[in-house]
Amino acid sequence: MNRKRLLIAVLFVCFGLAVSGQEDASSAPRALAPNEVYLRFDALSGGGPKWLRAKAVSEATMSGASVKVGREYVRVDKQIFADMERKSSAAYWYNVLQEEDSLHFLVHARTSKNAIGIGSSFLFYPGIVPHRNWLQDEYQNNFEGAVFKLRDISVGLLYARQLFGVNRHRIVFETEPGYRQIHQTFSADRYTTSYPAVDPAGNPYDRFITVSNYNETRERHCVDIPLDVRYDIFVIKQLSLFLAGGIDNVFVVSDRGQATFDASYAGRYGEDMFNVLIDDNGYYDFGHYPSISLTQQGKFGYGLYGMGKFGAQYFVGTVFSVELACVYMRYLCGNLPDGKGGDFCLSESADTYQSMAVTMKPTTQHRIGINLNLKVNF
C-alpha cells in the first residue's frame, strides 16, 4: 500500500515538472530574427500621430501583421526604417537613435511648424489685356476706343503656421500683411452723351457733351492683409504641390486720380428759343476746352476679396524654400468702384470728371496673377 502511494506521488511530481518545463519554454522570449529590432516612438508634442505602424515578424514566416509602435518597445521588422525614409519629407522627417544595444532604437518625429519670409504678387485682369473691351453694355454707344489696364503689385512679410502634418501631407495657415499698389489706367478716343438740363437763368435745354483724347490714371496705396489655409502634398521629398483658399483684406489709405482730355459742351434750346445751339466759349459753361487736366483725391476705402492659389514649393534642405503660385482673386464687397453702373457722365463741365472705373463690367472684379515667396522654415 505504501509503495502504491509512493509511486503515485512520484508520478505527480514528474508530471508537475514536465508541465512547468513546458510553461517556461513557452514563456521564454523568442530570439530576434535577423531582420528584427526593438523599436519605440517619440511622437510630436502638440499634434501629429501618437504612434507608428510597423510590420511584426513571426517565427514561422519572418513576416506578420502590422503593429502599433508607441512609447514601449515593440519587436518589428527592420523594413520600418526604409518605410520612414520613403514617407518623410522636407517638412516632416524622422530621427533614429540607437539606444541600449545594437538592437534597440528610438524614433523621434520632427517637423517644421513655422515659416517666415518675404512674399510678392503681381495681378492683372483676366483675358487679352488691354485689347478686350470691358465696358458695360449700357455705355457701349457712348465710347469709342475704350481701353482698361491694371497693374496690381504687392510685397509683404509672410508668416505660416502648420496646423497638421504627417509624412508628405500638411495643412498650413498663412498670412502675409504688407503693401499693395493698385494702378489703373483708362483711355478713350471719343465719348459723347446728351441729357436734359437747366441753365443758370432757369431755361431748359438739351446738353451735348463730346470728350476726346481721354486719359485717366488712378493709383491706390493700400495696406494688404491676406489670410488663407493651404494643403500641401509632397510629390518628392523636397517638392510639394499645394492648394490654398482664403480672403484678402485691402485697406486703401491713399487714392489719387488724374485725367487729361479735350472737351466740348453745347446746349440746344427748344422752339421757344428758336432751336438755337450754343457752343461758344463765354456763354454759361458752354464752349470748347482743349487740354483739360484735373485731379481727384479719394477717401479711405476697403475691399474684401476671395482668393485661391495653386502652386509648388521647393525646399533647399529643411530650412530655406522658394514657392511660386498662380493666384485668382474675386472682389466680394467694400466701397471700391465695382462696375455696378448708375448715373454716369464722363465730364459734365470743364472742371469735373467721373472716373471710368464705374463703367467696367463685373468681369473686371476678377483678377489673376502670380505669387512668389521666399521662406525660412523652422
Side-chain angles (χ1 to χ4, degrees):
M1 190 65 167
N2 292 333
R3 290 180 178 180
K4 289 183 179 180
R5 292 178 178 176
L6 181 60
L7 180 60
I8 292 172
V10 170
L11 292 175
F12 271 112
V13 171
C14 292
F15 179 76
L17 292 173
V19 171
S20 176
Q22 290 178 357
E23 290 179 352
D24 292 343
S26 62
S27 61
R30 174 177 56 83
L32 288 179
N35 60 326
E36 194 177 18
V37 294
Y38 289 104
L39 192 70
R40 65 188 181 97
F41 177 60
D42 183 15
L44 290 171
S45 60
K50 300 302 181 183
W51 44 267
L52 291 176
R53 186 171 290 277
K55 183 182 293 185
V57 177
S58 70
E59 188 174 5
T61 63
M62 294 303 183
S63 64
S66 63
V67 294
K68 293 181 179 180
V69 180
R71 299 182 64 88
E72 303 296 330
Y73 281 112
V74 179
R75 297 165 62 149
V76 298
D77 195 320
K78 289 181 179 179
Q79 180 64 33
I80 184 64
F81 298 130
D83 292 341
M84 287 189 295
E85 177 63 24
R86 177 176 53 84
K87 293 178 181 179
S88 65
S89 65
Y92 191 100
W93 65 97
Y94 301 93
N95 287 341
V96 180
L97 301 178
Q98 193 172 22
E99 291 203 296
E100 299 172 359
D101 55 47
S102 61
L103 298 177
H104 288 73
F105 294 89
L106 170 62
V107 176
H108 292 283
R110 293 290 181 262
T111 188
S112 299
K113 286 191 175 182
N114 301 282
I116 57 174
I118 299 175
S120 62
S121 66
F122 176 74
L123 304 176
F124 46 87
Y125 292 135
I128 304 173
V129 179
H131 304 293
R132 178 171 291 185
N133 193 334
W134 297 110
L135 276 174
Q136 294 187 69
D137 293 340
E138 60 188 287
Y139 303 119
Q140 291 286 346
N141 295 329
N142 299 111
F143 284 91
E144 296 178 10
V147 174
F148 301 84
K149 296 181 182 180
L150 169 71
R151 185 183 72 237
D152 187 338
I153 59 175
S154 67
V155 60
L157 298 177
L158 181 146
Y159 172 72
R161 173 69 176 180
Q162 179 176 286
L163 304 178
F164 173 81
V166 58
N167 296 330
R168 297 196 171 189
H169 304 270
R170 67 190 318 214
I171 298 175
V172 178
F173 167 78
E174 290 184 316
T175 183
E176 189 180 324
Y179 165 75
R180 178 176 294 274
Q181 182 189 85
I182 304 174
H183 185 87
Q184 294 172 290
T185 60
F186 313 95
S187 63
D189 296 333
R190 184 178 175 86
Y191 169 84
T192 57
T193 191
S194 63
Y195 56 88
V198 178
D199 67 18
N203 299 311
Y205 71 96
D206 291 328
R207 188 171 182 83
F208 294 88
I209 297 174
T210 301
V211 174
S212 58
N213 302 320
Y214 183 84
N215 289 281
E216 178 189 350
T217 61
R218 187 164 190 170
E219 188 167 275
R220 297 188 181 101
H221 300 274
C222 315
V223 174
D224 187 37
I225 306 178
L227 307 168
D228 69 72
V229 175
R230 61 183 262 181
Y231 166 72
D232 287 71
I233 180 170
F234 283 79
V235 293
I236 60 175
K237 190 171 183 178
Q238 303 298 123
L239 177 66
S240 74
L241 301 179
F242 64 85
L243 285 171
I247 59 173
D248 194 351
N249 300 276
V250 178
F251 301 90
V252 180
V253 295
S254 175
D255 185 358
R256 186 176 186 275
Q258 182 174 16
T260 59
F261 55 93
D262 304 325
S264 175
Y265 309 93
R268 182 180 294 280
Y269 288 81
E271 293 183 359
D272 54 338
M273 298 288 288
F274 309 104
N275 295 318
V276 64
L277 176 68
I278 303 176
D279 62 356
D280 296 327
N281 293 63
Y283 291 91
Y284 300 135
D285 56 357
F286 303 133
H288 303 278
Y289 299 88
S291 302
I292 297 174
S293 180
L294 301 173
T295 60
Q296 288 182 353
Q297 193 67 40
K299 299 180 180 179
F300 175 85
Y302 170 74
L304 177 65
Y305 293 81
M307 176 178 59
K309 295 180 184 179
F310 170 71
Q313 181 177 15
Y314 182 76
F315 284 77
V316 182
T318 59
V319 177
F320 298 101
S321 66
V322 57
E323 66 184 43
L324 183 66
C326 298
V327 182
Y328 166 74
M329 291 181 62
R330 168 71 159 82
Y331 181 74
L332 300 177
C333 62
N335 61 356
L336 305 180
D338 56 7
K340 291 184 178 179
D343 295 334
F344 173 81
C345 180
L346 188 61
S347 176
E348 294 181 345
S349 61
D351 57 355
T352 64
Y353 80 93
Q354 190 172 0
S355 174
M356 279 180 65
V358 298
T359 69
M360 294 187 294
K361 293 178 180 178
T363 308
T364 56
Q365 298 173 11
H366 303 263
R367 297 177 184 180
I368 59 175
I370 57 174
N371 178 244
L372 176 65
N373 293 330
L374 300 176
K375 292 181 177 179
V376 176
N377 306 273
F378 58 95

